[in-house]
Amino acid sequence: MGAQPKLYSFGNVDALAKSLRTYMIHCQTAAFDRHGILKLAVSGGSLPNTLAKALLAKDESGDTPFDFSNWEIFFADERAVPLDHPDSNYKLLKEEFLDKIPQDQGKPVVHPVDVQHLDDPQELADQYQEILKSSFAAKDSVKIPIFDLLLLGCGPDGHTCSLFPGHELLRESDAWVAAIHDSPKPPPKRITLTLPVVTHGIRIAFVATGEGKQDIMKQIFDTEDGRSLPCGLVNEGGADKVSWFTDDKAVAEVSFPRRGSL
């Protein structure tokens, strides 16, 4: 058996956030040592709230280990809606995390979608790929962008980013960013990082919590069918670069070995 993802389980979301904080400190240190900046891709859902709990807490000394002024944040997926729309992942991240960063901790560079192209998801995806090119170097000289970290969620159907079970986009191997016009979860028009971009990240972290995730977590980790779900494909492609941060409720039925600390 080859390298496997790491599955961490905690008694509650607060304990999870504390461990995620430690993990993020390690990610930042490694990224700064590598190239002086942390390049991060994030999803939406409940993730921004957990991220805020993990990153905005003060240490006992009152200090913070994070230098957000040297962070560059991209979206692992986004909906083709205005930036102030309730379905916007940018709006969610802004309200739950970005707006709460204290002034003295600096502000990250954040890359939202170009709202001029909301009516054309393919153009929206192409424009977002151009943003990646400008940050990660020209596409013809870099085969694939290598994020320092991707922070992802897991849907009840095993989807992640806007990569859905059985969808043709799971086979996309050329584009960095793809358009989706028929998302089974509304809104239907979106863009998403493609599977090769996700699995090439230096670190990949999932956050999944609550009883509502029990069935899908068992399927992903304990069944053959689960390996073909988008989250299972990330586990397979990312192997030991993948870490899952879960609460005990989400993994109550999972047989796959769990860890209680980093």
Side-chain angles (χ1 to χ4, degrees):
M1 184 178 292
Q4 293 183 298
K6 306 173 188 73
L7 178 59
Y8 299 103
S9 174
F10 305 94
N12 53 54
V13 174
D14 287 342
L16 182 160
K18 187 174 182 180
S19 189
L20 181 61
R21 177 183 177 84
T22 300
Y23 175 84
M24 295 289 291
I25 292 171
H26 294 328
C27 289
Q28 176 183 260
T29 300
F32 284 5
D33 286 347
R34 191 178 305 113
H35 48 204
I37 192 168
L38 175 70
K39 295 191 178 188
L40 166 71
V42 298
S43 284
S46 60
L47 186 60
N49 180 267
T50 306
L51 193 61
K53 282 186 178 181
L55 299 183
L56 299 181
K58 294 283 189 180
D59 289 340
E60 291 179 3
S61 64
D63 295 330
T64 177
F66 298 109
D67 177 9
F68 296 119
S69 63
N70 285 308
W71 285 33
E72 194 170 358
I73 299 178
F74 301 82
F75 290 89
D77 68 318
E78 184 57 287
R79 292 85 182 271
V81 296
L83 298 182
D84 59 356
H85 190 281
D87 287 332
S88 166
N89 283 340
Y90 171 80
K91 174 183 168 67
L92 190 62
L93 186 71
K94 182 176 185 296
E95 292 179 350
E96 296 283 358
F97 172 56
L98 298 173
D99 287 350
K100 297 177 181 178
I101 298 175
Q103 286 293 117
D104 61 353
Q105 292 182 33
K107 294 289 185 182
V109 173
V110 182
H111 296 285
V113 295
D114 185 345
V115 294
Q116 295 181 72
H117 304 292
L118 295 180
D119 58 340
D120 185 346
Q122 186 57 59
E123 184 63 26
L124 197 66
D126 291 346
Q127 290 296 324
Y128 209 72
Q129 181 162 293
E130 290 299 320
I131 292 173
L132 292 184
K133 284 185 192 177
S134 67
S135 177
F136 288 92
K139 190 173 187 295
D140 56 3
S141 63
V142 174
K143 185 177 180 183
I144 207 154
I146 306 293
F147 283 96
D148 297 303
L149 172 65
L150 297 103
L151 271 175
L152 308 175
C154 168
D157 58 352
H159 87 265
T160 191
C161 305
S162 282
L163 298 168
F164 291 91
H167 198 280
E168 62 183 7
L169 282 186
L170 292 174
R171 298 187 293 275
E172 175 60 55
S173 59
D174 184 42
W176 295 356
V177 183
I180 178 167
H181 300 80
D182 56 353
S183 166
K185 179 183 176 183
K189 295 180 179 180
R190 303 163 173 234
I191 65 168
T192 182
L193 296 180
T194 56
L195 188 60
V197 173
V198 174
T199 58
H200 275 78
I202 292 171
R203 286 184 173 90
I204 306 151
F206 285 94
V207 176
T209 59
E211 291 181 15
K213 296 291 170 68
Q214 279 184 10
D215 290 346
I216 195 61
M217 289 297 288
K218 180 168 183 59
Q219 192 176 350
I220 290 166
F221 279 95
D222 292 347
T223 74
E224 189 66 29
D225 287 347
R227 294 176 63 181
S228 65
L229 294 172
C231 287
L233 293 171
V234 175
N235 277 350
E236 184 176 4
D240 57 355
K241 299 188 298 179
V242 180
S243 298
W244 284 77
F245 291 83
T246 71
D247 64 358
D248 293 342
K249 291 178 181 178
V251 292
E253 304 297 324
V254 174
S255 299
F256 186 90
R258 289 179 255 163
R259 309 176 186 208
S261 60
L262 296 181

